[in-house]
Amino acid sequence: SCRALVPPDGYYEWMQLGPRDKQPYFIRPARGGPFALAALWEAWRDPASGEPLESCTLITTVPPKSIAYIHDRMPVIIAPAAYAEWLDPGNHDVHRLDRLLRPDGAGEMVAHAVSRLVSNARNQGPGLIEQVAEPPLAMTLDLAPAPDDDHD
């Protein structure tokens, strides 16, 4: 695989609100401006058809505390000073490369709830990143004692 950088304005992640209920959020670095996600890509041939294919995957990590309430993962953000090191095809130093995949490359992150229209790829446009009201969070408390609790 070859290393790559994917330059977004931000990315979406979905917070689980209930068994079948998710709220999308638009997430970006608080500092604003351009940033880049760590990715791997490969050119290969489909074993069945022999057709040439190109594929890409984003590398994920644990999120910083500022957005951990939304989801337990986030794409790795490569710090601008490390772009050349990440992209260098001659760099095979696993320890140096692993150091670049830490969640602190992003700095502080900010997030806001967005329309659920982003959940359908047919929906397009700048309005999809506009902030909407935060969903009400419900909490269920189970106050029944656990089966192994001894209350004699």
Side-chain angles (χ1 to χ4, degrees), residues 4-151:
L5 294 172
V6 175
D9 293 320
Y11 67 93
Y12 297 109
E13 195 59 81
W14 283 255
M15 177 196 290
Q16 190 76 44
L17 300 176
R20 303 182 97 191
D21 190 17
K22 294 180 180 181
Q23 173 62 52
Y25 282 79
F26 182 72
I27 303 170
R28 62 175 180 76
R31 70 180 187 280
F35 67 104
L37 306 178
L40 300 173
W41 71 274
E42 190 65 65
W44 52 288
R45 292 207 175 270
D46 181 307
S49 70
E51 271 194 61
L53 298 171
E54 291 181 342
S55 58
C56 178
T57 186
L58 297 178
I59 301 171
T60 61
T61 187
V62 296
K65 289 180 184 177
S66 59
I67 59 168
Y69 69 98
I70 296 171
H71 205 282
D72 63 353
R73 67 160 188 243
M74 66 173 275
V76 171
I77 296 175
I78 300 290
Y83 290 174
E85 184 177 6
W86 175 253
L87 293 173
D88 179 1
N91 183 355
H92 302 289
D93 185 330
V94 175
H95 296 293
R96 280 181 39 206
L97 292 168
D98 188 51
R99 186 176 39 84
L100 301 178
L101 300 178
R102 295 186 185 168
D104 57 359
E108 190 68 18
M109 302 294 287
V110 293
H112 62 261
V114 294
S115 168
R116 293 173 193 230
L117 292 174
V118 304
S119 298
N120 185 328
R122 288 183 297 240
N123 297 322
Q124 300 289 318
L128 295 178
I129 63 171
E130 291 179 8
Q131 186 168 357
V132 299
E134 291 282 332
L137 297 178
M139 184 180 294
T140 303
L141 297 177
D142 183 359
L143 300 177
D148 60 343
D149 283 353
D150 187 7
H151 292 282

